[in-house]
């Protein structure tokens, strides 16, 4: 069930995703973000996120990142489960556990996947510029 919920933004139309984020960052009616931030600072109730030129690119990048984060989670999950159990067992017998197992064994074994994902993320993040200019 959680895997389906994580992957839902990828399947959603961009128009639906824009409507969701527009309701989160809206000013009138008060969006969810302004409502929650007003609990801590009442002046944030009227904060305009989408019309501020300094914040709008960041908001668009967050929306793009949210849409495709599930794709990268699936890529990393499949890379991690493809590591041989024999390698993990040998590392545990040598004393690696927890963070050391990830840092010295698993992450070096999937460095090609990490590099490929970084290239895909950079490519996708550069595409967010065309949304802002429309």
């Amino acid at each position: 069930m959680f895997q389906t919920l994580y992957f839902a933004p990828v399947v959603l139309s961009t128009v639906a995703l824009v409507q969701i984020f527009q309701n989160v960052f809206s000013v009138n009616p008060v969006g969810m973000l302004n409502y929650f931030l007003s609990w801590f600072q009442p002046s944030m109730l009227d904060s305009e996120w989408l019309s501020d030129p300094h914040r709008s690119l960041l908001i668009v990048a967050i929306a793009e990142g949210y849409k495709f984060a599930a794709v990268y989670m699936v890529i990393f999950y499949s890379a991690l489960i493809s590591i041989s159990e024999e390698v993990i067992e040998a590392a545990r017998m040598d004393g690696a556990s927890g963070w050391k197992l990830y840092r010295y064994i698993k992450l070096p074994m999937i460095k090609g996947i990490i590099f490929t994902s970084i290239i895909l993320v950079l490519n996708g993040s550069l595409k967010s510029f065309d949304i802002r200019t429309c």
Side-chain angles (χ1 to χ4, degrees):
M1 180 175 162
F2 285 116
Q3 290 174 348
T4 304
L5 289 176
Y6 286 143
F7 211 71
V10 177
V11 180
L12 282 176
S13 151
T14 304
V15 174
L17 193 65
V18 166
Q19 291 297 320
I20 291 169
F21 273 90
Q22 192 173 15
N23 288 331
V24 169
F25 293 107
S26 72
V27 176
N28 190 9
V30 177
M32 290 189 311
L33 182 64
N34 287 349
Y35 179 73
F36 288 124
L37 289 177
S38 69
W39 289 352
F40 304 107
Q41 188 174 3
S43 64
M44 294 298 285
L45 193 62
D46 296 328
S47 183
E48 295 187 14
W49 297 92
L50 298 175
S51 62
D52 184 5
H54 301 292
R55 296 179 185 169
S56 62
L57 184 60
L58 176 66
I59 300 303
V60 169
I62 289 171
E64 282 286 320
Y66 175 73
K67 179 168 180 148
F68 293 108
V71 172
Y72 301 111
M73 283 194 292
V74 169
I75 291 171
F76 283 122
Y77 178 69
S78 63
L80 287 173
I81 64 172
S82 70
I83 297 174
S84 173
E85 284 295 323
E86 290 85 17
V87 173
I88 295 172
E89 184 179 344
R92 286 195 176 135
M93 291 176 86
D94 287 340
S97 64
W99 175 246
K100 288 184 179 181
L101 185 66
Y102 277 98
R103 183 167 185 237
Y104 296 113
I105 306 299
K106 291 184 178 183
L107 289 179
M109 292 189 79
I110 63 168
K111 67 182 175 185
I113 303 293
I114 294 171
F115 181 72
T116 304
S117 296
I118 289 171
I119 297 297
L120 290 172
V121 166
L122 288 174
N123 185 25
S125 66
L126 291 175
K127 291 179 183 178
S128 68
F129 286 106
D130 64 348
I131 294 176
R132 183 173 185 240
T133 58
C134 293

